[in-house]
Each structure stands twice: as C-alpha cells, then as structure tokens.
Amino acid sequence: MLFITPDGASIKIDQIRTLQKEMAMRAVESRHKVYIVEHVDKMTTQASNSLLKFLEEPPAGVLALLLTEHSHSILPTILSRCQIVQFSPLSAGAIAEQLQADGVMAGMAQVASHITTNVEEARALSQSDSFAQLRNLVIQLSHECKQRNSSALFTIHDMLQKSDKIKEELPLFLDLLILWLRDILYVQVGRHAHLINSDQQDVLQGQALVWTKAELLHGIDLVMDTKNRIERNANAQLALERLVLQFQEG
C-alpha cells in the first residue's frame, strides 16, 4: 500500500510519477496493490493530467483510492473514471463521547467535537493547552467588548504579541468565538440543553444579560466576515481591531 499526501501546499507531478513507477512493479507478497491519494483536490494541473493517464490504463491488480472533501475541485475527467463513495462524518455527540471515554473533560470534549469531525484532531485540540487558552480569550473578549472601552483592543494586541503560533490559530479562535456567541443566544431563548460550552453556563448567563439578540446575530456575521478577510490575507491585527470596534458600535 502506498500513500500520497500533499508536498507542502499541493501534490506535485513528481509524486504521481513515483506512484506510477511503484505501481508498475510486480507485487511480491500479493497479486494486488493499493494506493491512496489524500487531498486529491490539491494536485497541480500537471499531476492531475498525469494521474488521469494512469487511471485510463491502470496496471493489472491495482486499486486506487482518491480521498477528498472537495470533489468539485477535481477534474471532471478524473471523476468520470471513479466510483464515488460518500462517507458521512461522525456526529459531534459521538466524537464527544469518544473523547470523554479517553479521559477528556466533558466541557472541552463538547467544544472540540463542534470544531472538527475528525476524532484525532478533536482529541489533539481538547488536550492542548493553547485550545483552552484560546477559549478563555474568547470569553474575556466577549465580556470586554460590552464595556465600551479600550480593554478589548489591548486583549487583541496582547494575544497577537505573546504567541508565535497565533496567526495559525486565528481561524480556530474565530470559530470558538462564533460558538460562544451562539451559546449566549441559546441561553437567551432558553435552549440550555443545546449549549456547546456547557461547562460555562454561569458565565453565559451573565453575558446573556448584556448582549441583545440582534447584537449576537450581527456579531456572528461579523466574525464570519473577519474570518474570510483573514483567509484572504488581510492584516490580522487590523481585521481583529475592526471586529472589536464593530462589536462596540452595536
């Protein structure tokens, strides 16, 4: 069995050429060979064309598994030569149960299970000190934004200055902020059984008194817009400061 994964940001033609050479060799231990290409949507154009030729005339006994979460990004000519099998992700509840069985605290397990559908990623998140710190920053920031002073801006500045990895963690931070604002809204409408940050109900109750429903709904939209801006390489500090100021404008 041979695994092909992106080399950096993409799967390159040299990787597909190596795959072709390996699969063309006669199997010693078995009559069958299997190769798996992960994130096949990240192939370069040259790699895609090379793989297409391989799929058109595969060696005898070779099985290809092409994995992707973005099938629309794959060449239609490649898709037409594949049998598509769809797998549904595990539910957040199932992931949280698995994490708790592994010893993760219920609150962190619940939050991590709503960030990713990958059990291993959820486990790594829930056991990471930085994950807990990011959630604490989210709670702090949502409180400071309603104080109508500069404390929230100082929090953003400190966050960006103190961590070397914070730019990589900003999408996660913003996802956590969306979940937190969503939970405040759920407290306001009495849906306590559906809280994600279920271990922070007292804090949520307090913040539910100072946010309005309209502010929360608008705030979620603002966070999503900020996340899109940062993914398009906007200046992270300016984007976050803009978000805080928009929160404080109400």
Short mmCIF file of all heavy atoms in Angstrom, two decimals, residues 5 32 47 75 79 136 145 185 200-201 233 241:
data_model
loop_
_atom_site.label_atom_id
_atom_site.label_comp_id
_atom_site.label_asym_id
_atom_site.label_seq_id
_atom_site.Cartn_x
_atom_site.Cartn_y
_atom_site.Cartn_z
N THR A 5 0.45 12.12 -0.14
CA THR A 5 -0.14 13.28 0.53
C THR A 5 0.51 14.54 -0.04
O THR A 5 1.59 14.47 -0.64
CB THR A 5 0.09 13.24 2.05
OG1 THR A 5 1.51 13.19 2.31
CG2 THR A 5 -0.56 12.01 2.67
N HIS A 32 -2.29 -8.01 -5.64
CA HIS A 32 -2.97 -6.72 -5.68
C HIS A 32 -2.12 -5.63 -5.01
O HIS A 32 -1.38 -5.89 -4.07
CB HIS A 32 -4.32 -6.81 -4.98
CG HIS A 32 -5.23 -7.85 -5.56
ND1 HIS A 32 -5.91 -7.66 -6.75
CD2 HIS A 32 -5.56 -9.10 -5.13
CE1 HIS A 32 -6.62 -8.74 -7.02
NE2 HIS A 32 -6.43 -9.62 -6.05
N ALA A 47 0.07 17.24 -12.30
CA ALA A 47 -0.14 15.99 -11.57
C ALA A 47 -1.49 15.38 -11.91
O ALA A 47 -1.62 14.17 -12.06
CB ALA A 47 -0.02 16.25 -10.07
N LEU A 75 -10.69 17.32 -11.55
CA LEU A 75 -11.02 17.32 -12.97
C LEU A 75 -12.20 16.39 -13.25
O LEU A 75 -12.22 15.26 -12.78
CB LEU A 75 -9.82 16.84 -13.79
CG LEU A 75 -8.63 17.80 -13.94
CD1 LEU A 75 -7.52 17.12 -14.73
CD2 LEU A 75 -9.06 19.08 -14.63
N LEU A 79 -13.05 12.34 -12.25
CA LEU A 79 -14.25 11.90 -11.56
C LEU A 79 -15.02 10.86 -12.38
O LEU A 79 -15.58 9.91 -11.83
CB LEU A 79 -15.16 13.09 -11.25
CG LEU A 79 -14.77 13.99 -10.08
CD1 LEU A 79 -15.75 15.15 -9.97
CD2 LEU A 79 -14.72 13.21 -8.78
N ASN A 136 -10.53 30.75 26.66
CA ASN A 136 -10.55 31.75 27.73
C ASN A 136 -10.47 33.17 27.16
O ASN A 136 -11.12 34.09 27.66
CB ASN A 136 -9.38 31.50 28.69
CG ASN A 136 -9.60 30.27 29.56
OD1 ASN A 136 -10.73 29.83 29.75
ND2 ASN A 136 -8.52 29.70 30.07
N CYS A 145 -15.85 43.49 25.14
CA CYS A 145 -16.46 44.22 24.03
C CYS A 145 -17.70 44.99 24.47
O CYS A 145 -18.07 45.98 23.85
CB CYS A 145 -16.83 43.25 22.90
SG CYS A 145 -15.42 42.79 21.86
N LEU A 185 -26.75 33.33 22.71
CA LEU A 185 -28.07 33.43 22.10
C LEU A 185 -28.98 32.29 22.54
O LEU A 185 -30.16 32.51 22.84
CB LEU A 185 -27.93 33.43 20.57
CG LEU A 185 -29.21 33.59 19.74
CD1 LEU A 185 -29.88 34.92 20.05
CD2 LEU A 185 -28.89 33.46 18.26
N GLN A 200 -19.73 26.23 31.02
CA GLN A 200 -19.61 27.66 31.32
C GLN A 200 -20.98 28.33 31.41
O GLN A 200 -21.14 29.50 31.05
CB GLN A 200 -18.77 28.35 30.23
CG GLN A 200 -17.35 27.86 30.10
CD GLN A 200 -16.50 28.27 31.29
OE1 GLN A 200 -16.68 29.35 31.85
NE2 GLN A 200 -15.56 27.41 31.67
N GLN A 201 -21.97 27.59 31.92
CA GLN A 201 -23.33 28.12 31.92
C GLN A 201 -23.48 29.39 32.75
O GLN A 201 -24.21 30.31 32.36
CB GLN A 201 -24.31 27.05 32.40
CG GLN A 201 -24.49 25.92 31.41
CD GLN A 201 -25.76 25.11 31.66
OE1 GLN A 201 -26.80 25.67 31.98
NE2 GLN A 201 -25.66 23.80 31.53
N ASN A 233 -5.83 36.90 3.39
CA ASN A 233 -4.54 37.54 3.71
C ASN A 233 -4.68 39.00 4.14
O ASN A 233 -3.74 39.79 3.95
CB ASN A 233 -3.57 37.43 2.53
CG ASN A 233 -3.19 36.00 2.24
OD1 ASN A 233 -2.93 35.23 3.15
ND2 ASN A 233 -3.15 35.64 0.97
N GLU A 241 -9.05 44.20 15.18
CA GLU A 241 -9.40 45.50 15.79
C GLU A 241 -10.69 46.05 15.18
O GLU A 241 -11.54 46.60 15.88
CB GLU A 241 -8.25 46.49 15.59
CG GLU A 241 -7.03 46.17 16.44
CD GLU A 241 -5.86 47.11 16.18
OE1 GLU A 241 -5.96 47.91 15.19
OE2 GLU A 241 -4.87 47.08 16.94
#
